[in-house]
Amino acid sequence: MTDLKNINIEKSLELLKGKKISSKELVSFYLKEAESNKELNAYISLNSENAIKLSEESDKRISKNTTRPLEGVPLAIKDLFCTKDVLTTAASKMLNNFKPTYESTVTQKLWDAGAILLGKTNLDEFAMGSSNETSFFGPSINPWSKDKKKYVPGGSSGGSASAVSGNIAIAATGTDTGGSIRQPASYCGIVGLKPTYGRCSRWGIVSFASSLDQAGPMTKTVNDAAIMLDVMAGYDEKDSTSADLEKTNFYKNLKNNKKLKIGIPKQYKNDQLNKEIIKFWELGIEFFKKNNCEVVEIDLPHTEYALATYYIISSAEASSNLARYDGVRYGLRKNSNDINDLYEQTRTDGFGDEVKRRIMIGTYVLSTGYYDAYYLKAQKVRSKIIDDFKKVFEKVDVIFTPTAPSDAFEQGSKIDDPIQMYLNDVFTAPVSLAGLPAISVPIGLSSNNLPLGFQIIGKRFDEESVFSAAKIIEQNANFKKRE
Amino acid sequence: MENSSNWETIIGLEVHAQIISKSKLFSGASTNFGSEPNTQVSLVDAAMPGMLPVINKDCVKQAIKTGLGLNAQINQRSVFDRKNYFYPDLPQGYQISQFTKPIVGKGSIEIDLKDGSSKKIGITRLHLEQDAGKSVHDIEPSKSYIDLNRSGVALMEIVSEPDIRSAEEAQEYVKKLRSILRYIGTCDGNMEEGSLRCDVNISIRKKGEELGTRAEIKNVNSIKSIGQAIDYEFKRQKEIINSGGKVDQETRLFDEKKVETRPMRSKEEAHDYRYFPDPDLPPLEIKNDWIEEIKKNLPELPDTKKENLINQYKISSYDASILISDKNNVEFFDKIISQNTKRNPKNVANWIIGELFALLNKNNLEIKNSPIKAEDLGELIDFIEDQTISGKIAKNVFEEMFKSKKKAKDIIDKKGLKQITNIREIESLIDKVLNNNKDKVDEYKSGKEKLFGYFVGQVMQETKGTANPGMVNEILKKKLAN
């Protein structure tokens, strides 16, 4: 029998189309695996009954040879995507009981392509966090954890990363606001792509920071990421910030021999950076050189301001986006005879500490008297950061950097120190501010035997070059996935 | 307004005009007024998680049209901002509005005043924003209900410069603004239904002195209330200043029943709205071609129509301004003229402004609901012109038409009101009256000329007023001279 545990999307499609396995077998297998690996806490809910039903329909299509691009493939979906009639919590007590009557555009595209919802994955509450520890449903665990030590899977898409890495999902969706796909991908040794802002519709995804949020694939291989992105991407008239572009064909056009000019930002190579990471960085540069790519040093002068800028802008937007959770229409409500008391009690009880912290930061930076010093200044810095990248991309095709400043850390080690936690986003946040596409690809294991990923950043809407560069790292690193 | 001469009132108005559009500003939900609660609500209007606003192009077009109607600058790039505050009928927890970069900039409108003068009032800006829902408190004593039908409906906030100096000017400004909106079809101007709402900013000062502190009066929802609120505020602020006090900068609410204003919220409750650009909406870019195209197809504006009435029909400026004040008036007038171009425009205007308006006002009716239709009034006027009836009889017929909705011809026929214009008939009537009043004829001839009126009266009485008065006069004079 085929090893279903270690298959990816590409392989699944091959087996399904070749009728080597049925979709029902595949779905049942992953449901069973998910059930028996509950300690990962990767899923908030499983779509057990419905997934089986849908797999039977897929099998009918397969037998009639009327398959669609992802026919019969089960996928894990971050519990931030609204799924029709299926519990959608954003890992918050606030939406503990919330079943949307609508389906997000991205997930609808996946279902229309024949994919099957396996379950909804854990995340940091409202996608705010870098360790998955802020989830109302408890933290998800990094499958690379060992010797009783529990490592975080990263966040916010920690459940998705944990599920794919732990082989209880073939692939998953994530969302990335300041690194929420890339950092957990790096920590869990999988591939995670944040597409260009506007590439995928945000409609139906619970908003965190509207100018930064972007959905993307979290997969075992670069090819799988391309397959998924081709389905997820596309203009949506319901999202005014989505880009009206031609249908993508990244998977078909994927090349691994593209001669690319690679930029290495000198500002990212600072003294505090872990020696081990520098070693892998040099290794990656060697891989590119070996593949006829030119590697040059580049200058991103405003890098040091990016993290602060990111936390000001994302928190400002979040403070406003989360105002709708007021207990009046849906979700948690703490009853009271006084409306202000109702708001206060509902939001005190419904939101966790990190969410409250961001709402307070966001409210503060938008307040009269502070707006100019914080929010407005942050917007100006954001423009400078965008310009930095624009200038650099006149000279290079992609930029190569570490994804995160370290490998996965132990659960509980940073949760009480928000600044340490926020530093996780130091390499990913600038990219988000500029709206650029970036992927994290595993490059090797740290001395701690934990995965490390590296980030490849591309020009706006040039995911093609990002995939090509990622393929070079993937093939040369020959990273051994968890079995 | 009893504006004592050394005081000056400084008034600026903020008018919220609901845009006529099939669907809301950022969602596809319908905008039907008076529907069952919460039936005109989309997922976006209810602010469900993950829902995003998409600008309704029709509403943008309406704002551009209005801007052009106000002789205003159309900004080709404008930005939507979020105005953040918590309120149960504000589902998003913020209102999408335009703060620093509105779609329409400076403009102006001209108002006509009772003393025959006219005045230009500056428009500061017009911006697009969402309406909130409605809280309903009177269904149950201990509960409030929310109706989101209005949530997300498109509004234009039109802000005037502080150019207004009296209640009359404020009222004329709103009337003129309303008439412009109705002419170009961007707002129905219906204040009772709340599609046009008004906030009044008012301060007073001694002439020549620095500007005073202003109070903002909210929810002034009729032309009458605008006058009352301003009068009340003027007195209130004057008393405060005269007694050595200081006017607070505050938001006050006008109470229609008590005819007074009172503070709405204290300073501690003052909001910090934390405006910032809505990251869900890119800046609104408008191409010049589109503005030009809208300009080309813009309906005739009240001021242009007024010019036409004055130049083409020689109607007085005052009458013309009354006619144009409501699009329905002009349509009524135009209909009567166009049905028979021989009709005298001045007469037609007099009938509408005089008799028709008097009866409509008395019965609290609007011209569009007039029991006398344009064609019926036209017919009546024709009967006067061709001397079928006299002007005096016509007024009675008119009242009868108003009451019974019958046509003039039917009333005239049925009541035998047709004017007697036959000389023989009138002569024999006069002969009869003179024969019956020989003594009075003698008195007249001996110098008591006042009796002439008595003879006329007798003749008219005989004919129930249908004798042609001119002919009666003429013939009577001749007969009495003999």
Side-chain angles (χ1 to χ4, degrees):
Chain A
M1 171 143 180
T2 330
D3 173 19
L4 292 184
K5 202 173 160 186
N6 285 302
I7 61 172
N8 53 37
I9 296 178
E10 246 181 334
K11 184 76 181 168
S12 312
L13 288 170
E14 191 192 309
L15 293 172
L16 287 164
K17 270 189 203 152
K19 299 180 178 105
K20 299 269 165 33
I21 51 161
S22 69
S23 171
K24 193 174 177 177
E25 282 171 278
L26 193 60
V27 168
S28 309
F29 175 82
Y30 274 94
L31 283 172
K32 208 179 94 231
E33 287 294 305
E35 287 287 353
S36 54
N37 283 285
K38 284 232 156 127
E39 76 284 352
L40 290 179
N41 202 19
Y43 287 97
I44 288 173
S45 64
L46 285 171
N47 192 33
S48 312
E49 264 174 58
N50 218 13
I52 298 286
K53 238 183 271 166
L54 289 164
S55 71
E56 286 165 353
E57 279 169 38
S58 276
D59 284 332
K60 270 182 215 153
R61 277 184 178 259
I62 292 167
S63 69
K64 281 189 259 171
N65 289 321
T66 54
T67 57
R68 297 163 291 177
L70 289 172
E71 194 67 62
V73 178
L75 292 177
I77 300 295
K78 187 180 187 180
D79 207 15
L80 199 65
F81 290 80
C82 289
T83 40
K84 194 172 183 226
D85 303 325
V86 174
L87 195 65
T88 299
T89 67
S92 179
K93 185 175 182 184
M94 191 61 94
L95 292 176
N96 197 8
N97 59 1
F98 178 63
K99 279 188 184 171
T101 57
Y102 47 92
E103 185 77 35
S104 85
T105 299
V106 164
T107 46
Q108 189 61 54
K109 279 171 175 283
L110 290 167
W111 315 148
D112 289 347
I116 292 165
L117 172 63
L118 187 69
K120 303 291 291 287
T121 57
N122 206 347
L123 64 149
D124 281 294
E125 185 180 5
F126 281 103
M128 296 172 191
S130 306
S131 65
N132 213 154
E133 290 166 284
T134 71
S135 168
F136 174 64
F137 301 94
S140 170
I141 307 296
N142 192 323
W144 291 79
S145 302
K146 60 202 169 303
D147 310 331
K148 286 184 185 166
K149 274 188 186 164
K150 282 185 180 166
Y151 288 91
V152 302
S156 66
S157 310
S160 289
S162 173
V164 175
S165 167
N167 294 320
I168 55 173
I170 295 170
T173 63
T175 64
D176 189 314
T177 304
S180 281
I181 286 176
R182 292 161 283 165
Q183 184 253 24
S186 173
Y187 281 13
C188 291
I190 64 166
V191 173
L193 170 80
K194 181 198 94 74
T196 311
Y197 182 78
R199 177 66 87 185
C200 299
S201 168
R202 293 185 297 115
W203 193 88
I205 301 171
V206 175
S207 298
F208 161 15
S210 309
S211 75
L212 298 154
D213 295 345
Q214 185 60 203
M218 301 181 77
T219 55
K220 295 186 175 180
T221 65
V222 174
N223 281 2
D224 278 9
I227 293 174
M228 269 182 85
L229 183 62
D230 282 334
V231 175
M232 293 164 71
Y235 173 65
D236 181 4
E237 56 177 21
K238 290 184 287 187
D239 175 2
S240 313
T241 61
S242 90
D244 195 357
L245 299 168
E246 270 177 49
K247 168 128 191 53
T248 65
N249 228 332
F250 293 122
Y251 178 59
K252 216 177 125 198
N253 298 334
L254 223 165
K255 292 184 192 80
N256 58 355
N257 56 356
K258 222 174 155 184
K259 271 193 191 168
L260 297 163
K261 200 165 176 187
I262 316 280
I264 309 294
K266 60 179 179 200
Q267 283 81 2
Y268 286 41
K269 248 183 190 167
N270 57 40
D271 303 340
Q272 290 119 48
L273 196 61
N274 183 327
K275 295 276 172 318
E276 199 168 45
I277 291 193
I278 294 181
K279 212 185 73 206
F280 275 113
W281 204 345
E282 280 158 5
L283 180 67
I285 291 170
E286 284 313 305
F287 294 158
F288 284 123
K289 285 184 178 161
K290 217 170 70 187
N291 283 269
N292 300 318
C293 294
E294 192 189 338
V295 180
V296 295
E297 192 178 72
I298 54 161
D299 194 9
L300 293 169
H302 296 92
T303 298
E304 65 171 307
Y305 309 109
L307 199 64
T309 302
Y310 167 77
Y311 274 93
I312 289 170
I313 290 173
S314 63
S315 302
E317 292 180 13
S319 72
S320 176
N321 279 338
L322 269 61
R324 64 187 57 198
Y325 308 106
D326 57 5
V328 174
R329 298 167 312 285
Y330 51 80
L332 182 77
R333 174 194 287 198
K334 292 283 182 180
N335 267 314
S336 168
N337 288 329
D338 176 73
I339 185 66
N340 286 318
D341 190 49
L342 183 150
Y343 290 150
E344 207 173 306
Q345 288 200 44
T346 301
R347 290 167 69 83
T348 299
D349 192 45
F351 291 139
D353 286 349
E354 184 59 28
V355 172
K356 284 177 192 155
R357 183 177 295 121
R358 309 269 183 128
I359 292 174
M360 284 190 280
I361 293 172
T363 304
Y364 179 81
V365 299
L366 289 174
S367 300
T368 306
Y370 301 99
Y371 181 90
D372 290 358
Y374 292 100
Y375 182 78
L376 201 63
K377 186 159 277 175
Q379 288 294 15
K380 285 178 185 161
V381 176
R382 186 177 188 174
S383 302
K384 299 232 177 259
I385 290 167
I386 293 170
D387 284 347
D388 280 359
F389 279 109
K390 215 179 250 169
K391 267 181 219 147
V392 162
F393 278 124
E394 284 167 10
K395 286 178 281 182
V396 302
D397 299 307
V398 295
I399 299 168
F400 180 59
T401 79
T403 303
S406 69
D407 53 5
F409 49 90
E410 263 185 85
Q411 214 183 72
S413 64
K414 291 187 181 177
I415 192 70
D416 296 322
D417 189 348
I419 302 291
Q420 277 304 309
M421 195 68 97
Y422 295 172
L423 281 171
N424 266 284
D425 299 332
V426 68
F427 300 133
T428 46
V431 185
S432 296
L433 288 169
L436 303 171
I439 202 166
S440 177
V441 209
I443 200 163
L445 292 178
S446 69
S447 52
N448 235 346
N449 264 317
L450 291 169
L452 279 170
F454 267 71
Q455 176 176 235
I456 293 146
I457 309 162
K459 295 174 193 165
R460 270 168 68 75
F461 300 110
D462 186 18
E463 281 86 350
E464 192 177 314
S465 298
V466 171
F467 282 131
S468 299
K471 282 280 298 187
I472 292 173
I473 299 294
E474 185 180 49
Q475 283 171 347
N476 289 275
N478 198 20
F479 177 78
K480 287 277 177 282
K481 300 201 165 48
R482 253 187 95 261
E483 300 258 316
Chain B
M1 172 153 185
E2 42 135 43
N3 207 341
S4 22
S5 59
N6 55 335
W7 288 96
E8 191 174 35
T9 323
I10 314 288
I11 302 163
L13 296 181
E14 285 169 26
V15 171
H16 287 92
Q18 183 181 323
I19 289 178
I20 296 175
S21 67
K22 286 196 194 78
S23 49
K24 297 182 178 179
L25 185 54
F26 297 110
S27 84
S30 146
T31 55
N32 279 339
F33 177 80
S35 308
E36 283 291 300
N38 296 312
T39 57
Q40 317 288 309
V41 186
S42 77
L43 296 167
V44 175
D45 308 323
M48 299 305 284
M51 292 300 98
L52 301 171
V54 175
I55 184 73
N56 177 346
K57 212 178 155 194
D58 288 340
C59 296
V60 175
K61 188 177 174 184
Q62 293 288 62
I64 297 172
K65 275 169 85 175
T66 308
L68 293 170
L70 301 174
N71 306 307
Q73 167 73 34
I74 309 298
N75 295 326
Q76 285 182 253
R77 187 172 192 275
S78 63
V79 173
F80 288 104
D81 297 285
R82 292 184 182 178
K83 180 180 180 180
N84 295 282
Y85 63 98
F86 282 93
Y87 208 71
D89 58 26
L90 187 75
Q92 294 167 137
Y94 55 84
Q95 176 196 34
I96 306 178
S97 179
Q98 297 189 299
F99 188 48
T100 51
K101 295 190 175 82
I103 182 168
V104 175
K106 283 194 186 304
S108 67
I109 64 178
E110 189 132 330
I111 57 169
D112 293 302
L113 300 167
K114 283 201 193 81
D115 66 6
S117 68
S118 59
K119 182 175 175 180
K120 200 176 241 183
I121 307 292
I123 303 285
T124 314
R125 58 184 280 168
L126 173 156
H127 70 250
L128 282 166
E129 65 182 27
Q130 300 175 296
D131 205 347
K134 209 168 76 182
S135 297
V136 187
H137 304 293
D138 53 6
I139 298 177
E140 265 183 66
S142 63
K143 279 188 181 147
S144 291
Y145 287 77
I146 309 290
D147 177 7
L148 295 179
N149 281 355
R150 230 174 51 190
S151 163
V153 163
L155 300 178
M156 296 180 281
E157 181 173 325
I158 303 162
V159 183
S160 86
E161 294 284 328
D163 291 345
I164 298 165
R165 291 288 174 275
S166 68
E168 189 205 349
E169 288 182 17
Q171 290 173 318
E172 288 309 316
Y173 169 81
V174 174
K175 280 193 213 160
K176 185 61 174 286
L177 179 60
R178 183 172 64 179
S179 125
I180 293 170
L181 297 172
R182 283 175 171 165
Y183 268 67
I184 53 180
T186 55
C187 170
D188 68 22
N190 202 328
M191 294 184 92
E192 302 86 71
E193 287 177 6
S195 19
L196 196 77
R197 309 197 281 271
C198 189
D199 299 338
V200 181
N201 284 300
I202 171 170
S203 68
I204 66 167
R205 66 171 168 191
K206 288 241 170 76
K207 274 187 185 154
E209 286 182 2
E210 294 274 296
L211 283 174
T213 309
R214 69 188 163 85
E216 184 181 0
I217 320 299
K218 288 252 176 217
N219 284 315
V220 192
N221 290 331
S222 70
I223 301 283
K224 192 175 151 198
S225 299
I226 292 171
Q228 290 174 332
I230 291 172
D231 286 343
Y232 181 89
E233 265 307 298
F234 173 70
K235 264 186 239 154
R236 187 185 72 87
Q237 295 186 16
K238 194 173 72 178
E239 271 164 34
I240 292 173
I241 295 170
N242 279 341
S243 60
K246 267 178 74 183
V247 175
D248 282 335
Q249 182 166 347
E250 61 179 355
T251 306
R252 300 175 69 85
L253 198 73
F254 180 67
D255 184 328
E256 243 170 58
K257 282 184 197 125
K258 293 185 181 160
V259 195
E260 62 175 33
T261 70
R262 58 167 176 271
M264 212 168 113
R265 55 173 103 90
S266 69
K267 268 186 207 142
E268 295 82 62
E269 292 171 74
H271 290 299
D272 181 354
Y273 290 120
R274 289 171 281 122
Y275 279 100
F276 77 107
D278 192 326
D280 286 330
L281 292 160
L284 183 59
E285 310 271 0
I286 301 167
K287 291 212 172 76
N288 199 39
D289 291 356
W290 196 32
I291 300 173
E292 288 305 319
E293 190 197 312
I294 295 171
K295 204 183 265 175
K296 234 186 287 165
N297 298 313
L298 202 66
E300 193 176 38
L301 287 162
D303 284 343
T304 325
K305 185 70 201 179
K306 186 179 158 190
E307 291 288 299
N308 288 346
L309 289 176
I310 295 170
N311 294 334
Q312 198 182 337
Y313 298 129
K314 312 291 172 221
I315 290 172
S316 76
S317 170
Y318 181 74
D319 285 355
S321 69
I322 292 178
L323 278 181
I324 58 120
S325 67
D326 184 338
K327 198 181 179 189
N328 295 312
N329 293 350
V330 180
E331 280 172 2
F332 200 92
F333 173 86
D334 281 344
K335 208 165 178 186
I336 297 178
I337 298 292
S338 65
Q339 278 166 351
N340 179 355
T341 47
K342 282 185 194 137
R343 286 172 185 161
N344 178 340
K346 271 196 76 120
N347 269 349
V348 174
N350 284 340
W351 269 94
I352 295 173
I353 294 167
E355 306 304 319
L356 183 61
F357 281 4
L359 278 188
L360 288 173
N361 281 343
K362 205 167 138 192
N363 292 279
N364 226 340
L365 284 170
E366 295 213 27
I367 195 161
K368 61 182 175 209
N369 304 318
S370 167
I372 299 181
K373 300 292 160 218
E375 46 270 30
D376 301 333
L377 179 56
E379 222 174 77
L380 178 68
I381 293 168
D382 291 345
F383 284 132
I384 308 166
E385 290 284 306
D386 68 11
Q387 305 211 329
T388 303
I389 52 172
S390 68
K392 200 168 168 218
I393 290 284
K395 287 182 185 171
N396 298 334
V397 174
F398 182 77
E399 278 175 32
E400 180 69 27
M401 287 166 74
F402 197 93
K403 252 183 261 166
S404 66
K405 292 190 183 176
K406 282 185 187 144
K407 296 209 181 287
K409 189 171 185 303
D410 297 341
I411 296 166
I412 293 166
D413 286 349
K414 199 176 163 208
K415 298 206 165 172
L417 300 175
K418 196 162 181 276
Q419 189 163 234
I420 302 167
T421 49
N422 183 313
I423 296 186
R424 295 255 157 75
E425 205 175 327
I426 292 174
E427 274 181 341
S428 75
L429 273 165
I430 289 175
D431 288 343
K432 192 177 153 201
V433 168
L434 296 183
N435 276 330
N436 291 345
N437 292 287
K438 284 210 166 104
D439 46 340
K440 293 222 166 60
V441 173
D442 289 341
E443 279 178 50
Y444 177 86
K445 285 186 174 166
S446 62
K448 208 172 174 187
E449 286 185 3
K450 265 202 251 168
L451 279 168
F452 187 78
Y454 170 80
F455 299 126
V456 174
Q458 290 295 307
V459 176
M460 295 313 266
Q461 205 173 13
E462 285 284 321
T463 61
K464 288 184 190 127
T466 58
N468 180 304
M471 291 172 76
V472 171
N473 274 322
E474 201 180 320
I475 297 165
L476 197 58
K477 252 179 210 160
K478 262 190 220 156
K479 297 239 173 201
L480 286 168
N482 290 336

